[in-house]
Amino acid sequence: MANDNLWYEGIPFPRVNFKLEILRKAQEEFMVEDDDVVTVTYPKSGTNWLIEILCLIHSKGDTKWIQSVPIWKHSPWIETQYGFASANKMEGPRLLSSHLPIHLFPKSFFSSKAKVIYVIRNPKDIIVSGHFFWNSVNLAKKPKSMEQYLEWFLEGNVPYGSWFDHVRGWVSMRERENFLMLSYEELKQDTERTVEKICHFLGVTGDWKNYFTIAQAETFDKVFQEKMADLPRELFPWE
């Protein structure tokens, strides 16, 4: 049973499936590739839901992959022992996951074109979910009450540290083209629109380029212009 947390660079982590050496390697040595897509969240912010959505996009809606393979194999957490080893064996493009605060995230990401999707959630809901979750598993130090967990949360003395620092750190990336910030609430309230936003961010459109030859594309464009020339161009957003 985990009686306490594992501390690395001033941040508490669960003791199960975490090692100081792996946390160091994840930060210093893990190579983030340009075609990687990384789900980043503070714990209990909707991580698994987003991973399932990304897996469906990745598999073009085919549910067999999701149903036959555990989620930690679909999109491994790079800071855990299993996830670090698994991610290093995967061929690209990779789906990866992490709860790491920005200052402990792999340094290689910041010079890459890899895409990060960061999900935030109402911290009051995170507190309630976190209290029940950490009490139900033997992964880290357990709070004796909701009051105690709230106190720990406000102090940043919970797995992955301060929610406030975590969010402030990652929000600083919001102007980068390879960073998308979503909220759990918008995903729940308007799932379809949010999934469309994710698809646009990932560039999953334009698959025709993988199948059309240059000549075929030019032939189609010529016919398209002839048959649709009298219609406003703004009707066709791909133009």
Side-chain angles (χ1 to χ4, degrees):
M1 180 180 293
N3 296 318
D4 204 346
N5 298 314
L6 178 71
W7 290 82
Y8 176 73
E9 296 290 329
I11 302 294
F13 290 90
R15 283 198 174 272
V16 178
N17 201 24
F18 287 78
K19 281 190 174 182
L20 294 177
E21 180 63 11
I22 298 299
L23 289 168
R24 185 194 66 77
K25 285 185 175 182
Q27 181 184 13
E28 301 290 342
E29 301 177 17
F30 186 81
M31 294 306 300
V32 176
E33 305 294 341
D34 286 343
D35 57 358
D36 288 342
V37 176
V38 192
T39 296
V40 180
T41 60
Y42 188 85
K44 315 313 297 176
S45 298
T47 320
N48 289 356
W49 190 9
L50 180 58
I51 292 173
E52 296 259 331
I53 290 172
L54 292 174
C55 286
L56 284 170
I57 294 172
H58 184 74
S59 65
K60 300 186 186 299
D62 185 354
T63 61
K64 293 179 182 178
W65 183 45
I66 295 175
Q67 294 170 343
S68 62
V69 181
I71 195 166
W72 57 85
K73 290 187 178 180
H74 289 145
S75 183
W77 275 257
I78 58 178
E79 64 266 26
T80 67
Q81 286 181 261
Y82 172 83
F84 182 84
S86 179
N88 277 310
K89 295 176 183 177
M90 293 172 68
E91 296 182 359
R94 300 179 297 183
L95 295 179
L96 304 172
S97 302
S98 180
H99 291 315
L100 287 170
I102 194 169
H103 69 285
L104 298 183
F105 202 68
K107 293 181 178 179
S108 59
F109 163 70
F110 300 97
S111 59
S112 76
K113 297 179 181 179
K115 296 183 177 180
V116 160
I117 301 178
Y118 185 68
V119 184
I120 60 173
R121 184 185 185 188
N122 186 326
K124 294 177 183 177
D125 287 327
I126 291 177
I127 291 168
V128 174
S129 180
H131 169 256
F132 289 110
F133 175 77
W134 296 115
N135 255 317
S136 68
V137 295
N138 292 321
L139 298 177
K141 188 175 181 180
K142 295 187 177 185
K144 296 178 181 179
S145 64
M146 177 67 77
E147 288 76 16
Q148 185 179 59
Y149 188 73
L150 173 59
E151 181 181 338
W152 289 355
F153 187 91
L154 294 176
E155 293 172 350
N157 190 19
V158 292
Y160 289 93
S162 167
W163 176 86
F164 304 97
D165 291 345
H166 200 285
V167 171
R168 288 179 64 87
W170 280 108
V171 164
S172 68
M173 299 283 291
R174 65 189 180 278
E175 300 300 327
R176 289 185 53 153
E177 292 183 357
N178 62 336
F179 182 84
L180 174 66
M181 188 169 74
L182 303 172
S183 73
Y184 178 89
E185 288 74 18
E186 69 177 312
L187 187 57
K188 186 175 182 179
Q189 292 167 8
D190 195 342
T191 305
E192 183 176 351
R193 186 187 67 82
T194 309
V195 170
E196 289 177 353
K197 184 187 295 187
I198 294 169
C199 289
H200 179 73
F201 173 69
L202 297 177
V204 295
T205 58
D207 196 42
W208 64 267
K209 296 176 183 177
N210 296 319
Y211 300 95
F212 275 56
T213 65
I214 294 177
Q216 288 171 335
E218 290 177 346
T219 297
F220 180 85
D221 288 343
K222 181 179 179 181
V223 174
F224 180 88
Q225 294 299 330
E226 291 173 355
K227 294 183 176 292
M228 312 298 278
D230 60 322
L231 294 176
R233 293 289 291 272
E234 57 266 23
L235 290 177
F236 311 110
W238 60 86
E239 283 287 275

